[in-house]
Amino acid sequence: MPEFPASPDRPRLALALSGGGFRASIFHLGVIRRIAELGWLERVDVISAVSGGGILGAYIALHWNRMLKAGGTVDAFQDVIVRPFLEILTRQNFIRRWAFRLWEPPFRKVRDGTFTRTKLAGEMYSQMFYDGRTCAELPSRPYLILNAASMVSIRAWRFTRGGLGDSRIGHATWGDTPLLLGEAVSASAAFPWVFPPLRIRSADYTFGSPIYGEDALPPRKYIPLSDGGVYDNLGVEALQKPTRLPGEMQPTPVSDFLIVSDAGYPAQYRFRSNGLPVLSEALLLYRVDDIAREQVCAQRRRDLITKFRDPNSPLKGVLVPLGSSLGTLDPDLLQAYSKHVPFDYQIPKALIALIKAVRTHLDRFTDLECEALMYHAYSMTDAVLWAHRLTCPQSYRAPELPTPAWRIGFTSAIVGSWTHALAKSGARFALR
């Protein structure tokens, strides 16, 4: 079982960081900032992350203990994690650098069959975010679970500090061939169309038997792994019940409290159609994929909320969604909340719509885009924890009076600057 020093039998606080590109990475920072103000950072024992959540999850796992040594306060979180991470996202353009490197001479030679555009992305993640560290160098706490999707077994594929694998193919320890952390992240973020599946060479690892006694699958030379959001965009499956993880002898228990940061793309209702042959079919298939993904995610959200509200369920926690707003609170709760956090500090409805439409790509973000995404996440975290405080375990109850320290007054000037900054964020692709 993973080591949880202050809670040996059961992890304390677990974070699930959803997919959604760099937009998700930034949104999750806002959620964690509010947790930092509540003094809960020291309790974080497990992080399960997908795609854009994995980009951030791997970064904070490497820097978490240094942040705790700096006090574990919101200021330490800002100095050690937020500012350096956002410096990368706002000063460098990952997707443009990646596109240019695809063509750099001499052309790359595919020697072992594992090189893909996604593997190159993994090498770049390693350089930009993780200083070339491997998965085996991850700390024991917080225990990081990176989730991808196995194209062979149709199961969640997981990378941990101890190894890799899924429940059908089996688990393997790293041995002498630990994967670059950036490559594990790239598998989790291998969004179809742009990034093909990452290919794991089976001969590099010794996989055990299927975890739950199923028949073994025929051996394959390579195991293709795609975006974790294809299977579970919330990254919650490994946290909902005791789960066997790669490199661990015993199932990881359910945590005392789970905070799910959901920055997935909200449902899109503008169906694009075209009468041209081939193109019309492609647009239709793209829409079918959108619908399937949205329905799977919606079902997982409903299942989570049901379990959170069930007094007999061992799973306790809250869901913080990007696709929602304070206006969705029960009217009486919203009125009570607004007595302490006036409407002047709540993001106007028109701006919420623009924040929801921010692209999920891996290009460069502006400072104002980062501020808007983080503040929305921070505000939603505060409101959700406060609104559901009586159903949370005693040690995870937010204060009776909401006291968020970060408040932005939405004057006409602020609204104008945010509107201008966010109006272009819905673009499907940008190389600025």
Side-chain angles (χ1 to χ4, degrees):
M1 165 184 321
E3 297 178 18
F4 305 115
S7 183
D9 298 323
R10 180 169 173 155
R12 294 167 299 174
L13 178 58
L15 303 179
L17 308 181
S18 80
F22 282 161
R23 180 187 71 180
S25 302
I26 298 165
F27 183 85
H28 301 325
L29 286 173
V31 173
I32 301 172
R33 175 169 175 164
R34 184 58 183 131
I35 297 171
E37 286 184 357
L38 293 169
W40 295 354
L41 292 186
E42 194 277 332
R43 306 178 189 177
V44 175
D45 286 327
V46 184
I47 299 173
S48 179
V50 179
S51 193
I55 296 171
L56 175 68
Y59 185 87
I60 63 179
L62 291 177
H63 298 278
W64 196 262
N65 288 327
R66 183 161 67 90
M67 181 270 299
L68 291 181
K69 288 180 181 177
T73 62
V74 67
D75 289 337
F77 177 66
Q78 288 288 115
D79 292 341
V80 176
I81 293 175
V82 176
R83 291 192 182 96
F85 186 81
L86 292 185
E87 180 74 17
I88 299 172
L89 266 56
T90 58
R91 302 297 178 260
Q92 301 186 47
N93 190 318
F94 175 88
I95 199 69
R96 181 170 62 183
R97 292 179 61 185
W98 170 81
F100 287 167
R101 282 195 57 185
L102 283 174
W103 305 103
E104 65 184 15
F107 292 109
R108 288 173 169 266
K109 294 181 180 179
V110 183
R111 294 180 177 176
D112 62 359
T114 63
F115 179 78
T116 63
R117 299 191 304 273
T118 303
K119 186 176 178 68
L120 174 61
E123 294 173 1
M124 292 180 60
Y125 286 133
S126 289
Q127 295 166 3
M128 293 175 63
F129 295 100
Y130 313 124
D131 297 323
R133 309 278 283 279
T134 70
C135 292
E137 296 177 83
L138 285 166
S140 60
R141 180 174 170 270
Y143 187 86
L144 179 66
I145 307 165
L146 287 171
N147 300 275
S150 171
M151 299 291 96
V152 175
S153 61
I154 321 176
R155 301 289 171 82
W157 182 279
R158 297 183 175 114
F159 300 97
T160 68
R161 68 190 301 265
L164 71 169
D166 67 34
S167 63
R168 187 70 189 278
I169 291 175
H171 294 165
T173 58
W174 290 117
D176 297 328
T177 53
L179 205 65
L180 283 174
L181 185 54
E183 290 188 42
V185 168
S186 72
S188 179
F191 185 76
W193 305 97
V194 180
F195 298 107
L198 185 82
R199 290 155 65 87
I200 298 292
R201 188 167 58 183
S202 299
D204 288 342
Y205 307 101
T206 302
F207 291 95
S209 302
I211 303 303
Y212 301 112
E214 299 169 284
D215 293 336
L217 294 172
R220 296 179 61 96
K221 185 176 181 180
Y222 301 107
I223 304 170
L225 306 175
S226 191
D227 190 301
V230 172
Y231 184 88
D232 171 18
N233 197 50
L234 296 179
V236 296
E237 188 182 73
L239 304 175
Q240 288 182 284
K241 60 184 184 299
T243 303
R244 283 281 304 277
L245 296 171
E248 305 300 338
M249 298 299 295
Q250 299 296 327
T252 299
V254 174
S255 300
D256 290 333
F257 196 66
L258 170 60
I259 296 178
V260 182
S261 180
D262 177 14
Y265 210 87
Q268 300 298 297
Y269 298 101
R270 292 177 294 176
F271 172 54
R272 295 172 293 160
S273 60
N274 192 296
L276 295 176
V278 180
L279 181 58
S280 62
E281 285 81 0
L283 289 173
L284 177 60
L285 288 174
Y286 190 87
R287 185 56 173 170
V288 168
D289 180 67
D290 273 350
I291 294 172
R293 283 171 178 262
E294 173 56 29
Q295 289 305 304
V296 170
C297 288
Q299 180 59 48
R300 286 193 182 274
R301 293 186 192 104
R302 289 192 292 268
D303 180 59
L304 265 180
I305 292 172
T306 298
K307 289 179 178 177
F308 288 158
R309 294 177 178 175
D310 181 357
N312 297 317
S313 170
L315 189 68
K316 302 299 179 185
V318 293
L319 175 72
V320 183
L322 176 144
S324 190
S325 67
L326 300 188
T328 60
L329 289 176
D330 177 272
D332 291 338
L333 282 175
L334 180 59
Q335 183 178 11
Y337 182 82
S338 299
K339 290 180 180 179
H340 306 284
V341 184
F343 287 106
D344 289 348
Y345 300 105
Q346 299 177 23
I347 304 175
K349 186 176 181 179
L351 289 178
I352 291 288
L354 291 175
I355 293 172
K356 291 180 184 179
V358 170
R359 67 202 177 282
T360 60
H361 297 304
L362 304 176
D363 61 334
R364 185 173 67 85
F365 276 64
T366 67
D367 292 333
L368 272 179
E369 287 172 332
C370 294
E371 181 180 57
L373 283 166
M374 283 188 64
Y375 190 74
H376 177 42
Y378 174 92
S379 301
M380 287 301 301
T381 305
D382 181 65
V384 168
L385 285 171
W386 177 82
H388 298 286
R389 67 191 184 281
L390 296 182
T391 61
C392 295
Q394 184 67 45
S395 57
Y396 292 98
R397 290 186 180 177
E400 184 175 350
L401 300 180
T403 56
W406 187 18
R407 299 193 180 191
I408 296 177
F410 286 94
T411 63
S412 58
I414 294 293
V415 171
S417 64
W418 277 35
T419 300
H420 178 74
L422 296 172
K424 300 177 182 179
S425 288
R428 303 298 279 180
F429 190 72
L431 286 179
R432 62 177 182 271

